Amino acid sequence: ANEDHNLYTFDMRNLKSAVCVHHDFVSAVTDVEYSPSGREFVAGGYDRTIRIFKFNAGHSREVYHTKRMQRVSATKFTSDSKFILSGSEDMQVRLWKAEAAESLKTMLPRERKKRDYNSKLLQRYEQMPEVKRIARHRHLPKGIVKAKKKMQIMDESDYRKEQNRRRHGQGTDDEPERERHIIRNEK
């Protein structure tokens, strides 16, 4: 977790560059917790959201937030990976489902069949642009959407500035984002 709004995954054998940079937060990230399977992790931050990431994906697969929730200071997976616990600065502990669309009730065979059929349809047509757009869509609070747009404008401005510097012979070497935030390595 980092204060630059990103999460970095490193291979302990090679700490010179990050294996994956996880984006989507608009404020500092305060806590990270891996699931018991190790295939995904949950993170909470000052932007009052909880996000679930796959270990090798750059963007979150799920976002949780409420109007009254304050800055998230702690996140934790349950031992069966079905729920997420979060603690925030408003002194509340909240329980979230790890799979938001998953039903908690016992399902009839007919319902189970329908769920399996729908998931197979999604897998089959996941490359279609319309299905991708629907799967990627997440409702976010207005403040986070505005902050994200502002960050995007700032990033584009920094990129243009660096390109102009390079064009006129004053720029620095092109350094990938995975290595940009590493200050030094100690042995």
Side-chain angles (χ1 to χ4, degrees):
N2 204 333
E3 287 189 8
D4 70 349
H5 323 307
N6 293 328
L7 294 150
Y8 300 93
T9 303
F10 287 92
D11 182 2
M12 292 303 292
R13 296 169 290 185
N14 180 15
L15 295 174
K16 292 185 189 246
S17 67
V19 175
C20 188
V21 180
H22 309 280
H23 303 281
D24 284 348
F25 279 98
V26 295
S27 191
V29 182
T30 55
D31 192 33
V32 176
E33 171 75 23
Y34 273 87
S35 70
S37 67
R39 304 299 291 172
E40 57 188 17
F41 61 91
V42 63
Y46 270 30
D47 63 355
R48 302 183 302 195
T49 61
I50 297 164
R51 296 174 187 266
I52 302 174
F53 293 86
K54 291 190 177 181
F55 78 100
N56 58 356
H59 295 280
S60 58
R61 73 164 176 84
E62 202 66 65
V63 181
Y64 296 114
H65 61 87
T66 64
K67 281 186 178 181
R68 296 182 181 179
M69 187 164 63
Q70 296 300 312
R71 296 173 175 169
V72 178
S73 55
T75 55
K76 184 88 173 154
F77 263 101
T78 57
S79 59
D80 61 355
S81 295
K82 288 191 176 191
F83 297 99
I84 295 167
L85 295 165
S86 71
S88 55
E89 289 185 358
D90 59 356
M91 299 304 202
Q92 297 288 322
V93 176
R94 290 181 172 85
L95 183 69
W96 310 87
K97 291 191 289 185
E99 295 287 336
E102 185 178 315
S103 178
L104 295 177
K105 66 177 187 171
T106 50
M107 300 177 88
L108 297 171
R110 182 184 70 227
E111 293 172 324
R112 212 173 301 121
K113 242 184 200 177
K114 182 182 177 193
R115 182 197 61 197
D116 294 342
Y117 177 73
N118 286 340
S119 67
K120 286 192 180 182
L121 276 178
L122 281 173
Q123 285 177 351
R124 183 172 183 180
Y125 296 109
E126 68 185 352
Q127 299 304 319
M128 294 182 69
E130 295 87 4
V131 176
K132 271 185 177 177
R133 183 182 58 80
I134 293 169
R136 239 185 1 244
H137 177 73
R138 297 287 179 262
H139 175 74
L140 294 172
K142 195 184 297 183
I144 292 176
V145 172
K146 285 182 180 179
K148 201 166 208 159
K149 284 182 183 177
K150 187 176 180 181
M151 278 180 48
Q152 184 179 5
I153 291 169
M154 289 169 39
D155 288 344
E156 288 170 359
S157 174
D158 288 343
Y159 178 76
R160 278 194 317 272
K161 183 177 181 179
E162 190 60 35
Q163 292 301 319
N164 287 337
R165 282 185 174 172
R166 280 197 196 111
R167 204 173 311 138
H168 298 292
Q170 298 172 354
T172 59
D173 293 334
D174 191 20
E175 190 175 28
E177 184 180 12
R178 294 177 179 191
E179 297 173 3
R180 190 176 308 145
H181 300 287
I182 298 172
I183 298 170
R184 71 172 181 230
N185 289 322
E186 292 191 19
K187 294 182 181 182

